Amino acid sequence: MVRRFLSRVTRKQLIIGGTIVGVFVVAGVIAGTVAYHKREALLAATMERIQSKLAHDYQIDLEVGSAYFSGLTTVTFESMALVPHGRQPLATIEELSVSIKLFPLLTGDVRFGRLRGHDAHVQLIKKDSVSNYDFLFRSADTLHTTPLTPEEPRTETTVNLAQAANRMLNNVLYKIPEDMDLRDFTLTYRDDSTEQQISVPQADIDNGNLTTSVYLNDNEAAWQIEGKLNPNRRQLYIKAHANGQRIALPLLERKLGLKLSFDTIETRLREVYWTHNELLHIKGEWTVKNLHINHWRIAQEEVTLPDAHIDAEVIVGGDHVELSNASTVTVENLVVHPYIRYNTQPHKTYALGLETPEMEAQDLFDAFPKGLFESLEGIRVSGRIQYKLDAFLDTTNPDSVRFDSHMEQHDFKVNAWGHAHIPEINTTFTYTPYEDEKPVRDIVVGPQNPQFVPLADISPYLKNAILTTEDPSFFSHNGFVEEAIRSSIAINFKEKAFKRGGSTISMQLVKNVFLNRNKTIVRKLEEILIVWLMESTHAVSKERMYEVYLNIIEWGRNVYGISEAARYYFGKHPAQLTLGESIYLASIVPRPKTGLYSFNYEGQLKPYIASYFSYIGNIMARRGLAPADSSGSYGFYAVSLREPLRPERPVIDTLQLEQPPTDFENELEHVRGLLDRIFNTSNSENP
């Protein structure tokens, strides 16, 4: 082929071509020679620009004793220091030599070939609220900005997320040297109460093979880190272990009270590639073995996770970031496929998904880390299950939120209940309410207690009023009401705070009877699991659930159950409660300790609560649960508080007229609670 090409080329063409190539070669040699002789000046100019930018944008001085070329492409720096303005030095290094790869430089990529350094020290110091590293968490715009004039409105620029992610990844990968020789490196953190130091006597990268030892606080702990680094192919593998011992993080315990340790942890960047020149795919893996976590906000006991593996694919587009549903989380025999997507254009949206393949039901419970769900330990189940969750939120239209959760079950049954023996609720048992995380008293729930009232002996008005305000579909749902969950998500997003919950009576009952009073992060998930078990197995009838619920919930200070409530407020048996009294008792369930603020000194309800009576009464009348009332009062004016509970008659004088009532704030709080009920919120003091 080459001979054929040469046979067609004339002698004149060969001479011209050779001359052109020669010119380029000579020019390259001349340019290289000039650049070589002027490289020290170029280095000095580059250092000056870097120092000026750091000082201007980040208020930090880069001090360099000397900088010079110690090889064709190797630059050596001596006595370097990073010193934030007005703060203690952030970093110092006695000597650092860096070589740059030539060929990538031709395309604009700065890649390190070899790195050598010794006596490097980084110190993170925080005193009171001032630190020498806060500039790291602020942008240059925040650190140094020129105020805009009214004629110069700030404009938002659209960022291509895929390109930004690719640049960020390259900035990290291309700065990893093929060979590294680092000696005597220390990292120190110090604040008003804590000091921690990490020492690395030696860290080496030899042809991409990483080996190093890390020592914490004068050999308090020793970690071994090894791996294989191939930044050119965008692949990394790093493993940390402690030679058979646990790796602990004492700083977390001292600062946050979190005890965290593990035997080994591995991470792998497996593959990075583009599809259609638009989507950036990043695939990686993470594995942890024998993870131990202990914090009172997570669980009361130490949580142990023997083995967990995450295989993830992140897809970044121009306007979105996505955790692909091809990702897999594996714990024991449990396999879960998560899905998360965040879109920025044309407006912000969030999507969340979770799916499991069909599996043995016992695999779910065996995968729970020991100590995480105390009430579920020891449970044995059979059958097969499959779960799917699909949620979506459009920030410009929160009311359109989508939330679908479904558990498929095939021959599912519980063979042994474990710690939370749900069927015991069908018999007489003892319930212990708590106040400020302290037990109040024991209450026997059953006929042995004279205060216990069977469901049939409770006024229908009371039963229907509670259902109307707390859980209208209680007798037809399976423990959860997706519409209530969707509504709570929308309201909480719009309010930017937790204003509304989606708890059903089933969920409130489980919180009271089966869960401890420790407010941990996983308590809600444990509650959901127990409700699912109770409802899906029909271990307890709806009637029994409601009967127990009405006999244990709080209705005032040290007032528990409908029998105590009816006698406390009205001196009646629960069967004798009127429509008005029932609506009133339903109104105080979310905030039972504020109930007495609704009454005046004559024992009559204050006018502000009348609209609530009209609203709830009309709903009950439309559903055939109460007779229609053309006046709209629905027993409001007939409600009368027992005389011993009535507040004292106010003394009217000039001074008092100028000031609000002494219980003004409490009345406002109660009004707020009633409004919550009108709009079907569920911030109940009943846990």
Side-chain angles (χ1 to χ4, degrees):
M1 188 177 198
V2 175
R3 290 180 180 177
R4 191 184 310 164
F5 172 77
L6 291 176
S7 64
R8 296 178 180 178
V9 178
T10 65
R11 177 180 176 84
K12 183 177 180 180
Q13 289 173 329
L14 284 174
I15 294 173
I16 294 173
T19 303
I20 293 173
V21 171
V23 169
F24 277 107
V25 170
V26 171
V29 172
I30 294 173
T33 303
V34 172
Y36 179 81
H37 288 288
K38 291 188 175 183
R39 60 180 182 166
E40 298 293 346
L42 292 173
L43 176 61
T46 301
M47 291 300 301
E48 185 176 345
R49 285 197 303 271
I50 293 174
Q51 289 171 319
S52 177
K53 182 175 179 60
L54 287 174
H56 181 269
D57 291 349
Y58 298 99
Q59 288 81 61
I60 186 168
D61 291 330
L62 172 60
E63 301 174 356
V64 181
S66 60
Y68 55 89
F69 278 91
S70 54
L72 180 62
T73 61
T74 302
V75 179
T76 297
F77 304 92
E78 295 181 351
S79 302
M80 294 181 66
L82 284 173
V83 184
H85 293 179
R87 311 286 171 85
Q88 297 191 52
L90 175 66
T92 61
I93 184 167
E94 186 63 28
E95 183 177 284
L96 177 67
S97 297
V98 180
S99 66
I100 307 297
K101 293 184 177 181
L102 285 178
F103 287 109
L105 197 61
L106 297 176
T107 61
D109 291 332
V110 179
R111 303 190 188 187
F112 292 164
R114 183 174 181 81
L115 184 147
R116 289 183 176 182
H118 66 85
D119 293 316
H121 308 283
V122 177
Q123 55 176 6
L124 307 175
I125 301 174
K126 183 176 182 179
K127 187 174 183 180
D128 296 327
S129 59
V130 178
S131 70
N132 68 340
Y133 54 87
D134 53 5
F135 72 93
L136 295 171
F137 305 99
R138 291 181 285 163
S139 66
D141 290 339
T142 304
L143 289 161
H144 184 86
T145 59
T146 302
L148 294 173
T149 65
E151 293 75 21
E152 296 177 315
R154 185 181 298 274
T155 58
E156 293 186 6
T157 57
T158 302
V159 177
N160 185 300
L161 298 179
Q163 294 177 4
N166 190 56
R167 286 194 301 270
M168 186 182 303
L169 198 60
N170 287 344
N171 285 337
V172 173
L173 293 174
Y174 293 165
K175 301 306 181 289
I176 298 175
E178 287 185 352
D179 296 285
M180 182 181 75
D181 183 0
L182 183 63
R183 297 293 182 269
D184 299 325
F185 169 80
T186 61
L187 171 63
T188 303
Y189 172 82
R190 183 167 69 248
D191 60 20
D192 296 328
S193 60
T194 305
E195 181 170 354
Q196 298 279 296
Q197 185 178 80
I198 293 176
S199 302
V200 180
Q202 179 176 343
D204 294 313
I205 299 177
D206 184 8
N207 197 28
N209 295 304
L210 169 67
T211 57
T212 185
S213 298
V214 178
Y215 298 91
L216 181 64
N217 298 332
D218 295 326
N219 297 338
E220 178 182 341
W223 311 335
Q224 305 300 316
I225 299 176
E226 55 196 45
K228 179 67 176 178
L229 314 179
N230 192 342
N232 292 331
R233 299 186 63 181
R234 308 176 107 180
Q235 294 176 341
L236 304 174
Y237 169 74
I238 299 175
K239 177 181 178 180
H241 62 93
N243 292 325
Q245 304 297 316
R246 287 191 193 179
I247 293 180
L249 303 174
L251 180 60
L252 294 179
E253 182 177 359
R254 292 170 186 172
K255 295 294 292 183
L256 305 175
L258 172 63
K259 294 181 180 179
L260 188 147
S261 64
F262 50 86
D263 286 356
T264 62
I265 189 169
E266 300 174 58
T267 182
R268 184 190 302 273
L269 177 61
R270 191 171 63 244
E271 192 175 8
V272 180
Y273 62 92
W274 289 88
T275 56
H276 309 297
N277 204 30
E278 295 178 356
L279 301 178
L280 180 67
H281 297 251
I282 305 171
K283 294 184 177 181
E285 301 174 49
W286 293 265
T287 301
V288 63
K289 294 186 181 298
N290 205 20
L291 175 66
H292 294 258
I293 303 174
N294 193 333
H295 193 278
W296 65 276
R297 278 297 188 188
I298 298 175
Q300 284 303 108
E301 303 296 329
E302 183 177 73
V303 176
T304 302
L305 185 62
D307 190 0
H309 180 82
I310 300 175
D311 192 329
E313 178 184 22
V314 176
I315 303 174
V316 187
D319 60 0
H320 70 272
V321 180
E322 173 185 316
L323 177 65
S324 165
N325 56 10
S327 303
T328 303
V329 178
T330 306
V331 181
E332 301 290 341
N333 293 324
L334 173 66
V335 177
V336 178
H337 299 290
Y339 171 78
I340 303 173
R341 182 178 173 116
Y342 168 65
N343 270 71
T344 61
Q345 299 294 332
H347 42 259
K348 293 180 180 178
T349 61
Y350 302 89
L352 172 66
L354 200 65
E355 187 172 359
T356 69
E358 186 176 293
M359 60 182 171
E360 294 293 334
Q362 187 61 44
D363 290 343
L364 172 65
F365 296 93
D366 289 345
F368 293 151
K370 183 179 178 181
L372 191 63
F373 302 130
E374 180 183 356
S375 60
L376 296 174
E377 291 184 3
I379 191 171
R380 305 301 300 174
V381 300
S382 58
R384 298 184 68 80
I385 59 174
Q386 183 176 12
Y387 179 72
K388 185 174 183 179
L389 169 69
D390 177 32
F392 178 82
L393 175 66
D394 183 341
T395 58
T396 62
N397 186 16
D399 292 325
S400 68
V401 63
R402 184 174 71 240
F403 183 90
D404 298 307
S405 174
H406 185 66
M407 176 76 81
E408 289 279 355
Q409 299 175 199
H410 303 283
D411 301 321
F412 176 76
K413 66 177 181 178
V414 178
N415 302 315
W417 284 98
H419 291 179
H421 198 279
I422 294 175
E424 286 185 356
I425 200 176
N426 292 316
T427 63
T428 298
F429 67 97
T430 300
Y431 166 66
T432 305
Y434 280 71
E435 184 74 32
D436 296 328
E437 300 185 3
K438 296 180 181 179
V440 178
R441 55 187 168 98
D442 290 340
I443 299 174
V444 176
V445 183
Q448 293 89 333
N449 181 357
Q451 298 293 331
F452 177 81
V453 185
L455 189 63
D457 294 342
I458 299 174
S459 166
Y461 288 137
L462 186 283
K463 291 185 288 188
N464 290 326
I466 295 295
L467 288 173
T468 300
T469 59
E470 292 294 313
D471 192 352
S473 59
F474 169 70
F475 281 96
S476 60
H477 66 58
N478 62 354
F480 311 97
V481 180
E482 290 188 355
E483 182 56 40
I485 297 173
R486 285 190 283 269
S487 182
S488 67
I489 294 172
I491 289 176
N492 293 336
F493 178 81
K494 288 186 286 188
E495 296 292 335
K496 299 296 186 288
F498 185 80
K499 295 290 186 179
R500 181 174 184 178
S503 289
T504 61
I505 285 177
S506 305
M507 298 169 76
Q508 294 179 47
L509 180 66
V510 164
K511 281 188 286 188
N512 277 280
V513 176
F514 295 108
L515 299 182
N516 59 47
R517 294 304 183 272
N518 302 311
K519 296 181 179 180
T520 60
I521 295 174
V522 300
R523 186 171 183 248
K524 192 66 176 180
L525 181 55
E526 188 173 10
E527 171 194 324
I528 291 171
L529 289 167
I530 296 176
V531 169
W532 165 59
L533 289 169
M534 181 173 66
E535 292 270 7
S536 65
T537 61
H538 305 291
V540 184
S541 69
K542 288 284 191 177
E543 289 75 14
R544 176 58 178 173
M545 289 186 212
Y546 197 33
E547 181 178 74
V548 172
Y549 175 80
L550 293 176
N551 275 276
I552 66 172
I553 62 171
E554 184 181 7
W555 254 298
R557 297 186 184 278
N558 200 23
V559 179
Y560 295 93
I562 186 57
S563 181
E564 293 184 14
R567 288 182 169 83
Y568 177 73
Y569 290 102
F570 309 118
K572 292 183 174 183
H573 186 277
Q576 301 171 321
L577 292 170
T578 66
L579 175 60
E581 292 164 344
S582 298
I583 294 177
Y584 163 75
L585 288 174
S587 76
I588 67 173
V589 169
R591 293 176 175 83
K593 293 182 178 62
T594 66
L596 291 176
Y597 301 133
S598 301
F599 293 95
N600 61 25
Y601 69 94
E602 293 178 328
Q604 304 302 306
L605 288 168
K606 296 176 181 178
Y608 71 81
I609 197 177
S611 60
Y612 178 82
F613 271 65
S614 178
Y615 181 81
I616 298 300
N618 281 324
I619 293 177
M620 294 178 66
R622 287 198 305 269
R623 295 174 178 172
L625 306 176
D629 186 343
S630 58
S631 69
S633 62
Y634 292 96
F636 172 80
Y637 296 103
V639 178
S640 179
L641 183 67
R642 281 199 314 119
E643 189 170 347
L645 299 179
R646 298 174 186 176
E648 294 183 3
R649 183 186 184 96
V651 178
I652 306 297
D653 58 30
T654 305
L655 179 63
Q656 194 173 27
L657 288 174
E658 295 174 353
Q659 297 183 5
T662 55
D663 60 348
F664 182 67
E665 291 185 358
N666 291 322
E667 289 191 10
L668 284 179
E669 179 64 21
H670 190 55
V671 171
R672 189 180 297 114
L674 294 178
L675 291 175
D676 284 346
R677 302 315 301 158
I678 288 175
F679 294 104
N680 196 28
T681 60
S682 184
N683 278 343
S684 175
E685 286 184 8
N686 283 297

